[in-house]
């Protein structure tokens, strides 16, 4: 299993330099041509240092991607669940489809069927927490009366993210904002969500 090293055991400057170097090289050369040796040289750290903190180049790029992705795709709460989901999905599409994070994520996904430890780390560090956060945002809307009590929220999260992953994995053009809006509306309708933007839902 890939685990994140203790922050107390590593220099933050060296960590940031390593993550930035990995992203730069992945953008310039493509995931398959990136090596730990090249990352170390670009970052100005030793190969031994990288292997002390990460077990593979995939683990380095996963941490780099996760740091950027989570920071750029918050789950805001404006009181309008449809608007908030559109904001989140649009941000996720942009991050996952453009440099420097897009090439890294494409490479990570290409490795999942060949690297069990990396696949487990992607689930634990990225997919699981993001799905949990999305489900909690829907659950909050449910508590507020926008979504019926019996709605299947985990399935709704898969419906939201599924098309995004599908297009990314197959190298199809990413969703534009109009398509994201249609996707969000479709998912919310399937849940039986109350329409009405910022209006108070009728929960009587």
């Amino acid at each position: 299993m890939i685990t994140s090293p203790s922050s107390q055991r590593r220099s933050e400057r060296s960590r940031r330099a390593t993550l930035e170097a990995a992203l730069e090289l992945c953008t310039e050369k493509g995931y398959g041509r990136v090596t730990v040796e090249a990352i170390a040289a670009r970052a100005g750290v030793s190969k031994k240092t990288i292997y002390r903190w990460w077990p593979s180049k995939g683990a380095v790029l996963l941490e780099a991607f996760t740091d950027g992705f989570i920071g750029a795709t918050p789950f805001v709460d404006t009181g309008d669940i449809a608007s908030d989901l559109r904001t989140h999905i649009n941000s996720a599409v942009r991050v996952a489809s453009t440099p420097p994070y897009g090439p890294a994520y494409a490479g990570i996904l290409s490795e999942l069927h060949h690297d069990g430890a990396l696949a487990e780390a992607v689930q634990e560090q990225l997919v699981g927490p993001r799905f949990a956060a999305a489900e909690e945002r829907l659950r909050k809307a449910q508590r507020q009366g926008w979504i019926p009590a019996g709605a299947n929220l985990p399935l709704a999260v898969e419906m939201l993210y599924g098309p995004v992953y599908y297009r990314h994995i197959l190298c199809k053009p990413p969703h534009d904002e109009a398509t994201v809006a249609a996707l969000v509306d479709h998912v919310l309708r399937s849940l039986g969500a109350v329409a009405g933007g910022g209006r108070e839902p009728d929960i009587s």
Side-chain angles (χ1 to χ4, degrees):
M1 180 178 69
I2 296 174
T3 57
S4 296
S6 169
S7 61
Q8 296 179 348
R9 293 172 49 213
R10 58 183 179 177
S11 158
E12 181 59 20
R13 184 203 64 79
S14 294
R15 185 184 86 92
R16 292 306 318 167
T18 300
L19 299 183
E20 289 169 7
L23 288 172
E24 290 171 1
L25 288 167
C26 197
T27 299
E28 294 169 11
K29 301 175 177 295
Y31 181 92
R33 295 182 178 179
V34 176
T35 63
V36 171
E37 290 83 357
I39 295 172
R42 177 71 63 92
V45 302
S46 70
K47 179 179 173 182
K48 181 179 179 180
T49 295
I50 292 180
Y51 277 121
R52 187 187 313 128
W53 296 340
W54 297 278
S56 65
K57 74 171 184 182
V60 176
L61 283 160
L62 173 60
E63 184 167 330
F65 177 81
T66 300
D67 278 4
F69 185 79
I70 291 178
T73 58
F75 285 94
V76 298
D77 182 4
T78 66
D80 184 337
I81 183 61
S83 175
D84 293 347
L85 290 176
R86 288 194 298 268
T87 296
H88 172 73
I89 296 297
N90 278 318
S91 297
V93 168
R94 283 192 295 272
V95 173
S97 61
T98 58
Y101 299 105
Y105 194 44
I108 291 166
L109 292 179
S110 72
E111 288 289 295
L112 296 187
H113 293 290
H114 311 288
D115 187 337
L118 181 61
E120 184 177 350
V122 168
Q123 178 61 39
E124 291 182 352
Q125 298 174 29
L126 178 63
V127 175
R130 286 285 85 187
F131 270 52
E135 184 177 341
E136 178 53 34
R137 181 64 189 90
L138 289 171
R139 197 171 303 284
K140 184 173 184 179
Q142 190 177 58
R143 292 193 295 266
Q144 294 169 334
W146 293 105
I147 297 174
N152 188 331
L153 301 186
L155 180 59
V157 174
E158 292 192 358
M159 292 169 65
L160 283 168
Y161 283 123
V164 176
Y165 279 102
Y166 166 78
R167 290 204 176 192
H168 195 73
I169 291 172
L170 296 184
C171 299
K172 297 171 70 70
H175 292 299
D176 57 23
E177 291 190 3
T179 307
V180 169
L183 170 63
V184 169
D185 288 347
H186 176 77
V187 172
L188 290 177
R189 282 198 305 271
S190 75
L191 292 175
V194 175
R199 297 200 306 268
E200 287 296 322
D202 180 6
I203 57 176
S204 57

